[in-house]
Amino acid sequence: MATIGFIGLGNMGGPMARNLVKAGHQLKAFDLSEKAVAGLVEAGAMRAATARDAARGVEFVVTMLPAGDHVRSVYLGEGGLIAAADKGTLFIDSSTIDVPSARETIAAAEAAGMDMVDAPVSGGVGGAEAGTLTFMVGGTPDAFARARPLLEKMGKNIFHAGAAGNGQVAKVCNNMILGISMIGVSEAFVLGEKLGLDAQTLFDISSTASGQCWSMTSYCPVPGPVPTSPANRGYAPGFTAAMMLKDLRLAQDASRTARTPTPLGAQAAQLYALMEAAGEENLDFSGVIKLIRGEI
Ligand code: NAD
């Protein structure tokens, strides 16, 4: 049994923290939302008064925060977790954030004599609840080996992606593929429909031909072919267009930093930004098909 500080108990962090409690670990939980903390205390965690309090006297600290600015402000500086935690603490940041913030925070932790990994996830709220998340981990082999047993209580597939920040690199690259492929599948289904080809027939052909991809076979943006896809429930998320836009913007930041052209990634970001401008960012990201149909 390990002692763990857990900071950020939102849609993802809440169920992840509960899975650690269920596995028998001792948690000190903190969030700016008192309601979120109360939920974890009810599940068996201890209440921490502040983020720094959650990080004191524990072997591990897990953070699941919205974005890079939150991670930097929680970890860095005199009032941050790195200054508060005991030497030897292992930090695991599972937030999806920009690569430079991840690398800077990990370097600061290492300079202070601690270990840290970036460990963003995919799998959404359903995966967090079921403990089946995929973790993409960046950091030293030693830090990865220490983090792994905890990550296995929250996820099913745990990948070491290489050095610090590489977890975030894997995450933005994967989600850029996903955002682009969802738009491609949506365009093809709308075009097929307009030309008189019904969606199920196109699905039957394309899902066994070279157009096959996850956006089609697991998450088809038209109702019918994949009964579990959000298209069958009015595009209720799932994974919102707002979340996809956040990740595509991170991919664009990364592409500028790396001076690598990602023209389709840029177009994808623009299309999801149009969904946001239309006030539809809380639809599932597969709702981008409505934009292509001219419905929003
Ligand atoms: P969320 O907004 O539901 O939760 C974030 C939590 O952090 C909130 O409860 C908020 O009160 C808390 N918080 C913010 N600043 C804080 C601070 N300074 N100290 C303590 N707590 C603070 O967000 P979420 O959906 O849980 O997402 C968390 C991260 O996971 C994001 O980086 C997101 O991109 C990523 N992610 C989300 C999903 C998803 O489907 N929701 C999937 C994969 C990855």
Side-chain angles (χ1 to χ4, degrees), residues 168-179:
Q168 301 294 351
V169 175
K171 169 83 184 173
V172 293
C173 290
N174 178 72
N175 279 20
M176 189 174 79
I177 296 171
L178 179 63

Side-chain angles (χ1 to χ4, degrees), residues 42-292:
E42 204 169 296
M46 282 183 289
R47 177 189 305 273
T50 60
R52 284 167 64 86
D53 178 30
R56 282 196 198 102
V58 294
E59 298 154 83
F60 301 92
V61 175
V62 183
T63 48
M64 192 53 165
L65 298 165
D69 287 348
H70 305 83
V71 170
R72 292 160 60 92
S73 80
V74 166
Y75 276 92
L76 302 175
E78 277 179 28
L81 301 183
I82 293 172
D86 299 338
K87 290 266 178 289
T89 305
L90 175 72
F91 294 113
I92 300 173
D93 179 40
S94 281
S95 325
T96 301
I97 67 171
D98 58 287
V99 177
S101 291
R103 289 188 172 150
E104 183 188 336
T105 310
I106 294 176
E110 287 174 352
M114 288 150 192
D115 271 341
M116 179 164 183
V117 294
D118 56 303
V121 301
S122 95
V125 175
E129 285 168 350
T132 56
L133 292 169
T134 293
F135 282 90
M136 299 156 246
V137 186
T140 63
D142 280 356
F144 175 69
R146 278 183 73 195
R148 189 177 190 124
L150 286 198
L151 302 180
E152 282 172 345
K153 298 295 178 215
M154 301 182 279
K156 198 169 72 173
N157 298 307
I158 322 292
F159 292 103
H160 188 204
N166 277 20
Q168 301 294 351
V169 175
K171 169 83 184 173
V172 293
C173 290
N174 178 72
N175 279 20
M176 189 174 79
I177 296 171
L178 179 63
I180 293 170
S181 66
M182 183 55 77
I183 293 165
V185 172
S186 297
E187 288 186 359
F189 274 80
V190 173
L191 179 63
E193 243 167 60
K194 290 267 163 69
L195 295 172
L197 178 62
D198 76 89
Q200 186 64 51
T201 307
L202 177 56
F203 179 86
D204 291 344
I205 294 168
S206 255
S207 63
T208 52
S210 48
Q212 186 271 338
C213 63
W214 188 92
S215 290
M216 182 192 301
T217 56
S218 295
Y219 221 76
C220 195
V222 293
V226 177
T228 52
S229 79
N232 299 288
R233 47 175 203 266
Y235 301 97
F239 185 60
T240 60
M243 286 277 183
M244 176 53 82
L245 179 57
K246 175 195 163 184
D247 291 352
L248 288 169
R249 284 179 169 151
L250 287 174
Q252 287 305 290
D253 292 345
S255 105
R256 271 188 293 277
T257 310
R259 294 174 174 267
T260 299
T262 51
L264 290 184
Q267 284 292 314
Q270 289 297 321
L271 282 167
Y272 286 103
L274 282 174
M275 278 183 82
E276 181 184 54
E280 299 287 6
E281 71 274 23
N282 292 322
L283 288 184
D284 186 79
F285 81 108
S286 59
V288 74
I289 196 168
K290 290 170 71 107
L291 188 72
I292 290 162

